[in-house]
Amino acid sequence: MAKDSYLVGLIGAGIGPSLSPALHEREAGRQGLRYLYRLIDIDALGVAPEAVGELVRAARDLGFDGLNITHPCKQLVIEHLDALAPQAEALGAVNTVVFEADGRAVGHNTDVTGFAASFARGLPDAPLESVVQLGAGGAGAAVAHATLTLGAGQVTVVDALADRAVELAGSLNRYFGAGRAVAAGLDRLPKLLAGADGLVHATPTGMAAHPGLPVPAELLHPGLWVAEVVYRPLETELVRTARASGCAVLDGGGMAVFQAVDAFRLFTGREPDSARMLADIAELAGSSAGQVV
């Protein structure tokens, strides 16, 4: 018989403001499930990111059904898992762990599918021949995979850490084929954005703790679409400025919702209602999540 009670959690640093508990628990409640979503904040616990393995083992022993994993543990958790889904293995990062009936801990990555679903919904007709992505960290790797999966001709990866951009571009080319990704320095942004179809932003800039614009406002123009990954707040300075510049803009709420949709499905085997969850995040975060603005 299908279960009607679930215990899940989120492991990461500084995760107190996370909307994941509310997103999951609201949808579970509508489906008549008992569903507890707990935050396991390594900062609050006073432990290092490397303790993620011990936390995963403890959660399994305590009867958790699964875990979400966020910064800075998405790569570190891998060595503590029994198996990886193909997408997580290709990406080298895990944001969802499912404890299967046989006790195995299996890693998945719903950031990739979450961004792809949000983009397909919010910018369905956006040209994808030439895409510039700012940010090559964990979120950056996921959204670059998603963008190429959606059919982008080429993604140019730009990061303040040049070696990280080169490493991600190399990984993307090995997976998708030579020439699908290139790395570039920050100094090339003006020329790159002048000729690009779109900009994907995947750095922390714009979050409450990291306010500001990730690119100079004068580089944004009406011929450029902009996709934001940050979702707290939903209306980042980039979203606001790009809208004022005439860009088609996708906020970060859609990715947050669709990765949660996929994680909920993995945890429960039940189909969540993404429209209801988009309405939830709009209410919780005070904007229209995942919409072109």
Side-chain angles (χ1 to χ4, degrees), residues 10-11 52 56 67-71 73-74 77 94-97:
L10 171 64
I11 296 176
V52 64
V56 168
L67 296 165
N68 284 134
I69 310 291
T70 191
H71 177 81
C73 301
K74 291 182 180 183
V77 75
V94 162
N95 81 325
T96 303
V97 175

Side-chain angles (χ1 to χ4, degrees), residues 132 134 158 185-194 199 214-216 219:
V132 175
L134 181 59
V158 179
L186 286 170
D187 60 321
R188 290 190 56 204
L189 267 180
K191 183 175 181 181
L192 288 169
L193 291 179
L199 167 67
V215 298
L219 300 186

Side-chain angles (χ1 to χ4, degrees), residues 124-260:
D125 301 316
L128 286 166
E129 185 58 34
S130 174
V131 177
V132 175
Q133 178 174 304
L134 181 59
V143 297
H145 269 253
T147 303
L148 287 168
T149 299
L150 286 165
Q154 186 178 75
V155 172
T156 302
V157 182
V158 179
D159 195 277
L161 300 175
D163 290 348
R164 190 160 69 168
V166 170
E167 183 178 352
L168 176 55
S171 171
L172 293 167
N173 285 326
R174 287 190 294 274
Y175 189 77
F176 290 98
R180 297 295 301 281
V182 296
L186 286 170
D187 60 321
R188 290 190 56 204
L189 267 180
K191 183 175 181 181
L192 288 169
L193 291 179
D197 293 314
L199 167 67
V200 177
H201 174 238
T203 84
T205 303
M207 294 175 66
H210 304 277
L213 262 180
V215 298
E218 60 268 22
L219 300 186
L220 304 173
H221 56 86
L224 188 74
W225 55 257
V226 174
E228 173 71 277
V229 170
V230 173
Y231 77 95
R232 295 193 314 272
L234 281 177
E235 189 176 74
T236 61
E237 191 168 344
L238 175 62
V239 165
R240 205 161 41 245
T241 305
R243 183 197 306 135
S245 301
C247 304
V249 180
L250 185 70
D251 68 39
M255 177 179 174
V257 167
F258 285 107
Q259 67 82 19

